[in-house]
Structure formats: structure tokens, C-alpha cells
């Protein structure tokens, strides 16, 4: 099938370890952020979101951290599993709800 | 299946031909978005609709591209006189309303122009 992100930065982690994926966003006025997971041949899948009035939000095995001072977003995945292998994108939006995507990161999980 | 549906999944066309893609959003979602994605890149915004109104178009959307959402439900994206540079994955997404709600994506239409 189609491979997404052939030339993307890659993070390789061992199964069971924690993963941290980073993203620098572009617009200091952005007020809403989303992390998406994209598997080969599929559309992006929502993982977790965060508003600009928060600096941390937790989901099931995932945590998003927002540092507005340096326009940085991170996604932490606890106890990474083989099924987490995919390309991860952060997206930002301001007011109009048009999502602007960042450069993705490929996560590879090995046994 | 109540997710965003796109048709076709794959399209191969000769340069210069016209193609049309369809997107069926999640029922009752007011907003519908079109994005384009090439290998190694994140999705790039093309245009979006609030109900039947097209609210914004990207500079990426040349005059060969046109999108419609005539009844505020499904949408079509047409590319006229296709060029090899149009080869990409075309993604559709929908969201319930304006604001801090996530957009749900379809599986995309993979266009190859030969």
C-alpha cells in the first residue's frame, strides 16, 4: 500500500518504552492544537487535542504538552506498542478552524 | 460506517483529463474540508465549506480546481486539465461546527496523473 512520509524524521523506540514526539508550530496566535496519527494508506486519525489556555492534557496512554513561549508541542505515548507505529502530525488552528499541519514524524516500534 | 467516505479510493488518469472526487461527510457535520497530501508532507489545506457556502480557498487551489457542496451535504472536488504535479492524496474531513472540535478525515483519494 501507499507509504506516507518516506523522508520524514524517524523516531525508533522499543516496545514498552515511552515515546516523545515533538512539533514546532508556526503561528503564535493559534488557539487550538491537535495531534493526528496516520497509518500507511489511511487518512489522519485524531489522537488528542489541546486549547491554548492549557499546557497539558492527558488521554489514554497519551499526553500532549503545550509550551506557548517557544511555540512547541509534544506528544508523549506511554508503553509504546507495535500498533502505535505510524506517522504523527501536529496541527494548529486559529479562529477560522482551518487546520495547518506541521511536518510529520515517523514512529517505528521494534520488539 | 458513519465516518467520512471518499470515492474513488484510487484514480489513475492521463494528463489533460478531468477528474472528479466525491466526499460524504459525517451526517450533520456542518463543516467540510479538502486537503492535499504528497509523500513526505503533511496535509495542505485547499478549501472548506460551512454548509453549502465555500468560505475559504487556498492559493494552492488554482483555477483548474473547483469544489462544490450544493446541498450542504456531500462535496465534489474537480480538477480540470490534470497535470502530473496534481498527483497526490486528496483528503476530505468534516467537523460538527466551528470551534475547537477535531476534524474527522476520510481515507482519501489517491490521484496519479500519467
Amino acid at each position: 500500500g501507499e507509504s506516507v512520509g518516506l523522508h520524514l524524521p524517524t523516531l525508533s523506540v522499543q516496545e514498552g518504552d515511552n515515546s516523545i514526539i515533538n512539533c514546532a508550530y508556526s503561528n503564535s496566535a493559534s488557539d487550538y492544537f491537535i495531534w493526528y496519527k496516520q497509518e500507511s494508506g489511511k487518512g489522519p486519525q485524531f489522537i488528542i487535542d489541546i486549547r491554548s489556555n492549557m499546557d497539558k492534557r492527558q488521554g489514554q496512554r497519551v499526553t500532549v504538552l503545550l509550551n506557548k513561549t517557544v511555540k512547541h508541542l509534544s506528544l508523549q505515548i506511554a508503553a509504546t506498542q507495535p500498533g502505535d507505529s505510524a506517522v504523527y502530525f501536529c496541527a494548529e488552528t486559529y479562529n477560522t478552524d482551518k487546520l495547518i499541519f506541521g511536518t510529520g514524524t515517523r514512529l517505528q516500534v521494534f520488539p | 460506517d458513519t465516518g467520512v467516505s471518499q470515492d474513488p479510493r484510487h484514480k489513475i488518469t492521463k494528463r489533460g483529463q478531468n477528474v472528479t472526487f466525491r466526499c460524504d461527510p459525517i451526517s450533520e457535520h456542518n463543516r467540510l474540508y479538502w486537503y492535499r497530501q504528497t509523500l513526505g508532507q503533511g496535509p495542505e489545506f485547499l478549501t472548506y465549506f460551512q454548509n453549502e457556502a465555500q468560505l475559504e480557498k487556498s492559493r494552492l487551489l488554482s483555477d483548474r480546481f473547483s469544489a462544490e457542496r450544493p446541498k450542504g451535504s456531500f462535496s465534489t472536488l474537480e480538477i480540470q486539465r490534470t497535470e502530473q504535479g496534481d498527483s497526490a492524496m486528496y483528503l476530505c474531513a468534516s467537523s460538527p461546527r466551528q470551534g475547537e472540535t477535531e476534524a474527522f478525515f476520510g481515507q482519501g483519494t489517491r490521484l496519479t496523473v500519467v
Side-chain angles (χ1 to χ4, degrees):
Chain A
E2 174 186 294
S3 176
V4 174
L6 290 177
H7 306 291
L8 293 171
T10 299
L11 174 66
S12 297
V13 299
Q14 190 167 23
E15 182 178 357
D17 286 353
N18 297 333
S19 302
I20 299 177
I21 300 172
N22 297 304
C23 172
Y25 63 91
S26 59
N27 186 357
S28 57
S30 291
D31 52 14
Y32 181 56
F33 305 87
I34 305 176
W35 278 101
Y36 282 91
K37 172 186 180 183
Q38 188 172 27
E39 296 174 290
S40 182
K42 297 184 178 180
Q45 177 186 1
F46 171 88
I47 301 174
I48 191 168
D49 59 359
I50 188 167
R51 302 180 184 185
S52 60
N53 61 353
M54 304 170 67
D55 52 22
K56 181 179 180 178
R57 191 170 187 210
Q58 289 183 297
Q60 187 176 15
R61 281 201 310 117
V62 294
T63 301
V64 55
L65 299 178
L66 174 62
N67 185 332
K68 294 182 290 294
T69 302
V70 295
K71 294 190 292 185
H72 183 268
L73 202 65
S74 68
L75 176 70
Q76 300 177 2
I77 304 174
T80 313
Q81 303 170 359
D84 295 327
S85 295
V87 177
Y88 289 81
F89 293 99
C90 67
E92 60 183 298
T93 184
Y94 167 70
N95 197 30
T96 64
D97 204 23
K98 175 183 68 182
L99 287 170
I100 303 298
F101 283 79
T103 304
T105 297
R106 177 188 300 278
L107 176 64
Q108 292 182 330
V109 183
F110 57 93
Chain B
D1 187 350
T2 58
V4 177
S5 177
Q6 292 188 245
D7 183 70
R9 289 294 310 278
H10 303 274
K11 178 70 177 179
I12 300 174
T13 190
K14 291 183 178 180
R15 188 174 53 185
Q17 297 295 304
N18 300 341
V19 294
T20 300
F21 309 141
R22 176 179 171 125
C23 171
D24 287 90
I26 294 172
S27 179
E28 299 182 355
H29 275 196
N30 294 329
R31 289 218 162 184
L32 186 148
Y33 309 83
W34 284 99
Y35 284 82
R36 181 174 69 186
Q37 185 176 32
T38 53
L39 287 177
Q41 302 295 323
E44 297 173 296
F45 172 78
L46 292 178
T47 187
Y48 82 95
F49 294 83
Q50 173 77 25
N51 298 315
E52 67 274 10
Q54 189 173 16
L55 297 187
E56 185 174 350
K57 293 193 295 184
S58 164
R59 289 172 297 176
L60 293 174
L61 215 64
S62 75
D63 56 6
R64 295 186 296 106
F65 288 70
S66 62
E68 295 182 343
R69 195 184 183 195
K71 298 182 179 180
S73 56
F74 74 92
S75 175
T76 58
L77 177 68
E78 181 183 15
I79 308 174
Q80 296 181 327
R81 306 181 301 282
T82 52
E83 302 173 355
Q84 287 189 322
D86 297 331
S87 296
M89 173 76 83
Y90 290 84
L91 293 163
C92 177
S94 69
S95 65
R97 58 192 178 275
Q98 179 181 2
E100 300 103 350
T101 55
E102 66 270 24
F104 296 88
F105 282 82
Q107 300 285 48
T109 294
R110 180 67 181 167
L111 173 66
T112 301
V113 182
V114 297

